[in-house]
């Protein structure tokens, strides 16, 4: 006699709630169908469901995302880096207070070594036919950032090892909810053959029919709710041996959204906008923005970056500002709309020689048109570079750099403030390699802009 277990999974929605109505419909309808057939069904989220670019997520600090998971009947989830390191400690610690599902994060602790009340390392479910399904959750090891926010993050590989040892004797099937990325998922599959299914996220990988690595089936459903995943497991009821494992992805946008679905998505946005209607300031003049031109608003933000971090100088790309601010009232929603990135300030201590080399690189004519994806960036192009405390002059054929009016000194130490985006990837190898970095959490660039607008008189 066979038992069929259906597992639906989503990952990296990043608060693209315009796609949520269709996902909600899929998982709730499918659960009803499978229950009527007498099959077992589970629904899991693999993290980064929340992203603070969306006003509803930002205004409620993710509590609205928790509500949506409740309403869709999810059984369990894990956190991604967007839940973990874009929220202050208190907000993450309270985000899941009203959850009706399990949050599985084996490698997250408070700094005293205790686990948060809302999370556990694993859960063992028992099907109606007596099959024991062990489910473990882990999130990507951004330990340095978690530590600054008041959390302690441990090595996910070690935690997976510990959890597998604990539950393999009491589980017939082991499932891992992994917000680690495809490469770590493949490594885990090789190291832990006891794990039957790895539902992945973080690297936004798309596995249309899954991927077999050793005895494990890997699955991943891309990003932004474009897909939802479905894994089907057939096993022998008596021996509990798995007979077949298959994976498939459903394309959520195969057909256009219905008017009712569009209304629901618009309602999410409207609710968030209303919650963020608090006035920040009143502008006496319009502040324009254009990524390809030096402009008042980007200049204001880079000045705020320098001042907030008490740095000697700062630079950032004008593409951080997506559009300008009109004359008159400015609300928190307005600032979210023009600067939606979950990007934090970062300061780096370096010598004048190192700093000069980096600053000269920023003048490369290819920068403005460079298209960027990832790193928290929510715009399209890099845009021109804006500077604070930095001036370039030409002496014959020799470029000169001045910091706050003084010629840069090769051996002097300077404190540079930048968006943390520049410390990742291959933008500036010298910055990526620099050891003396400080990330300023949990403030985003838009919070610095709010601080600047609130505390400085605008006379532009």
């Amino acid at each position: 006699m066979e038992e069929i277990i259906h597992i639906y999974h989503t990952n990296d929605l990043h608060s693209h709630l315009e796609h949520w109505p269709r996902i909600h419909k899929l998982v709730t309808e499918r659960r009803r169908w499978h229950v009527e057939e007498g099959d077992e069904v589970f629904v899991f989220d693999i993290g980064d469901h929340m992203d603070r670019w969306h006003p509803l997520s930002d205004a409620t600090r993710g509590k609205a995302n928790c509500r949506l998971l409740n309403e869709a009947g999810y059984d369990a989830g894990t956190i991604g880096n967007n839940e973990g390191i874009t929220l202050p400690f208190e907000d993450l610690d309270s985000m899941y207070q009203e959850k009706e599902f399990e949050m599985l994060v084996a490698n997250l602790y408070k700094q005293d070594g205790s686990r948060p009340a809302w999370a556990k390392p694993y859960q063992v479910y028992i099907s109606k036919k007596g099959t024991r399904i062990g489910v473990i959750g882990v999130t990507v090891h951004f330990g340095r950032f978690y530590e600054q926010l008041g959390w302690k993050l441990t090595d996910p590989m070690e935690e997976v090892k510990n959890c597998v040892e604990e539950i393999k004797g009491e589980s017939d099937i082991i499932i891992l909810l992994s917000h680690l990325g495809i490469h770590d998922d493949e490594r885990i599959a090789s190291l832990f053959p006891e794990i039957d299914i790895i539902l992945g996220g973080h690297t936004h990988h798309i596995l249309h029919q899954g991927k077999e690595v050793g005895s494990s089936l890997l699955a991943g459903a891309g990003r932004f709710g474009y897909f939802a995943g479905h894994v089907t497991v057939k096993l022998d009821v008596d021996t509990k041996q798995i007979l077949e494992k298959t994976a498939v992805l459903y394309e959520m946008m195969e057909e256009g959204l219905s008017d009712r679905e569009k209304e629901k998505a618009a309602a999410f946005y409207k609710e968030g906008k209303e919650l963020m209607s608090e006035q920040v300031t009143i502008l006496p003049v319009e502040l324009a923005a254009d990524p390809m031109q030096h402009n008042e608003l980007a200049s204001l933000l880079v000045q705020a970056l320098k001042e907030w971090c008490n740095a000697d100088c700062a630079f950032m790309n004008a593409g951080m500002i997506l559009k300008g601010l009109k004359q008159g009232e400015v609300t928190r929603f307005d600032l979210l709309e023009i600067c939606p990135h979950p990007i934090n300030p970062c300061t780096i201590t370096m010598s004048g020689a190192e700093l000069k080399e980096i600053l000269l690189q920023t003048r490369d004519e290819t920068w403005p048109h460079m298209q960027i994806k990832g790193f928290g960036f929510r715009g399209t192009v890099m845009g021109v570079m804006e500077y604070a405390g930095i001036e370039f002059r030409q002496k014959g054929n020799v470029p000169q750099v001045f910091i706050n009016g003084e010629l840069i000194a090769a051996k002097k130490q300077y404190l540079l403030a930048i968006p943390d985006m520049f410390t990742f990837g291959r933008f500036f190898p010298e910055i990526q390699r620099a050891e003396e970095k400080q990330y300023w959490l949990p403030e985003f660039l838009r919070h610095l802009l709010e601080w600047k607008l609130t505390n400085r008189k605008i006379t532009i």
Side-chain angles (χ1 to χ4, degrees):
M1 183 177 177
E2 292 181 355
E3 178 180 12
I4 299 177
I5 299 174
H6 298 275
I7 302 158
Y8 290 86
H9 58 100
T10 53
N11 61 272
D12 296 279
L13 183 74
H14 285 278
S15 287
H16 278 266
L17 302 184
E18 68 272 21
H19 302 155
W20 185 251
R22 184 156 294 192
I23 293 172
H24 175 105
K25 181 180 179 182
L26 174 78
V27 298
T28 53
E29 280 191 353
R30 290 300 182 96
R31 182 185 292 276
R32 178 170 53 82
W33 295 353
H34 297 317
V35 169
E36 288 175 356
E37 290 295 317
D39 295 338
E40 203 71 37
V41 57
F42 296 94
V43 184
F44 301 126
D45 185 76
I46 322 300
D48 276 0
H49 190 277
M50 185 212 73
D51 190 315
R52 290 180 62 182
W53 76 267
H54 194 288
L56 186 57
S57 296
D58 195 37
T60 65
R61 297 299 190 268
K63 291 183 177 64
N65 296 78
C66 179
R67 182 187 81 202
L68 295 177
L69 292 169
N70 281 342
E71 291 171 354
Y74 274 65
D75 294 286
T78 193
I79 64 169
N81 43 290
N82 271 270
E83 288 91 0
I85 62 174
T86 71
L87 291 170
F89 179 93
E90 314 78 48
D91 289 334
L92 176 57
D93 202 34
S94 61
M95 178 176 167
Y96 298 104
Q97 281 181 342
E98 297 184 11
K99 66 178 176 63
E100 297 169 4
F101 50 90
E102 300 292 349
M103 283 303 298
L104 308 177
V105 200
N107 58 325
L108 179 69
Y109 298 84
K110 294 184 177 181
Q111 289 192 339
D112 64 3
S114 64
R115 293 189 184 275
W118 47 270
K120 58 174 65 173
Y122 59 82
Q123 176 72 24
V124 178
Y125 299 90
I126 301 177
S127 75
K128 291 184 286 291
K129 294 181 179 178
T131 301
R132 302 167 301 173
I133 303 119
V135 185
I136 305 165
V138 284
T139 195
V140 63
H141 193 200
F142 289 168
R144 178 176 180 178
F145 300 101
Y146 278 91
E147 185 177 351
Q148 280 191 243
L149 291 166
W151 297 102
K152 178 183 176 183
L153 209 64
T154 56
D155 182 353
M157 295 294 178
E158 284 299 314
E159 297 290 355
V160 169
K161 179 181 178 181
N162 294 338
C163 289
V164 168
E165 285 299 316
E166 286 185 36
I167 70 171
K168 65 182 182 181
E170 55 185 280
S171 301
D172 302 305
I173 299 173
I174 297 180
I175 300 170
L176 178 66
L177 313 184
S178 165
H179 195 88
L180 301 180
I182 183 64
H183 300 300
D184 279 351
D185 290 353
E186 291 172 344
R187 183 180 167 210
I188 287 171
S190 299
L191 291 173
F192 305 102
E194 302 94 337
I195 299 176
D196 300 289
I197 298 163
I198 300 176
L199 306 177
H202 184 55
T203 45
H204 303 170
H205 46 285
I206 299 171
L207 301 175
H208 285 283
Q209 280 82 44
K211 179 178 182 179
E212 292 186 1
V213 178
S215 58
S216 299
L217 176 65
L218 276 58
R223 63 174 183 166
F224 298 171
Y226 293 139
F227 298 95
H230 179 194
V231 173
T232 304
V233 181
K234 292 182 181 179
L235 70 159
D236 185 284
V237 171
D238 298 320
T239 66
K240 303 303 180 186
Q241 292 297 306
I242 294 176
L243 306 174
E244 184 181 21
K245 293 180 290 187
T246 59
V248 66
L249 293 182
Y250 301 118
E251 191 168 349
M252 292 291 94
M253 308 311 295
E254 206 164 37
E255 298 178 10
L257 288 171
S258 70
D259 289 340
R260 183 68 184 121
E261 289 171 312
K262 290 178 181 178
E263 287 175 14
K264 289 178 181 177
F268 294 145
Y269 201 83
K270 181 181 178 183
E271 181 184 352
K273 182 177 179 179
E274 290 173 350
L275 290 171
M276 298 189 74
S277 63
E278 180 182 351
Q279 178 181 296
V280 170
T281 190
I282 296 178
L283 288 180
V285 293
E286 178 182 356
L287 295 179
D290 180 345
M292 309 311 292
Q293 302 288 335
H294 296 288
N295 62 82
E296 303 97 325
L297 199 50
S299 177
L300 198 67
L301 179 52
V302 76
Q303 287 289 341
L305 179 60
K306 176 179 179 290
E307 294 170 13
W308 178 273
C309 298
N310 197 26
D312 296 306
C313 56
F315 72 83
M316 57 159 258
N317 54 307
M320 286 288 180
I321 305 290
L322 303 192
K323 66 178 186 177
L325 291 171
K326 295 180 180 179
Q327 179 181 0
E329 182 183 61
V330 175
T331 67
R332 285 206 163 91
F333 172 78
D334 294 324
L335 297 183
L336 171 68
E337 194 174 33
I338 70 167
C339 194
H341 329 280
I343 291 176
N344 307 103
C346 177
T347 50
I348 304 174
T349 302
M350 58 179 54
S351 70
E354 293 169 324
L355 178 59
K356 181 179 179 180
E357 181 66 26
I358 290 168
L359 292 177
L360 292 177
Q361 289 178 41
T362 67
R363 304 188 77 192
D364 190 314
E365 293 180 356
T366 62
W367 280 115
H369 298 278
M370 182 185 293
Q371 295 188 345
I372 313 173
K373 290 185 178 180
F375 310 109
F377 190 64
R378 300 291 184 261
T380 53
V381 296
M382 179 76 78
V384 299
M385 288 294 181
E386 294 282 358
Y387 304 93
I390 297 166
E391 183 184 357
F392 298 95
R393 301 179 193 173
Q394 197 75 17
K395 187 176 182 180
N397 294 324
V398 180
Q400 294 183 315
V401 178
F402 289 76
I403 304 298
N404 298 316
E406 295 184 0
L407 184 65
I408 196 167
K411 295 184 179 180
K412 183 178 178 180
Q413 295 293 298
Y414 294 90
L415 188 66
L416 169 68
I418 54 172
D420 70 3
M421 178 180 79
F422 291 139
T423 69
F424 311 123
R426 300 185 180 274
F427 296 110
F428 301 99
E430 296 89 345
I431 288 178
Q432 189 178 16
R433 291 193 298 264
E435 295 182 359
E436 294 189 51
K437 300 189 192 86
Q438 179 184 352
Y439 294 93
W440 296 63
L441 306 175
E443 296 84 10
F444 296 155
L445 293 183
R446 65 174 173 269
H447 299 133
L448 274 60
L449 183 57
E450 178 180 341
W451 168 78
K452 183 73 171 175
L453 290 171
T454 303
N455 295 285
R456 297 290 187 273
K457 186 175 181 180
I458 305 301
T459 56
I460 295 172

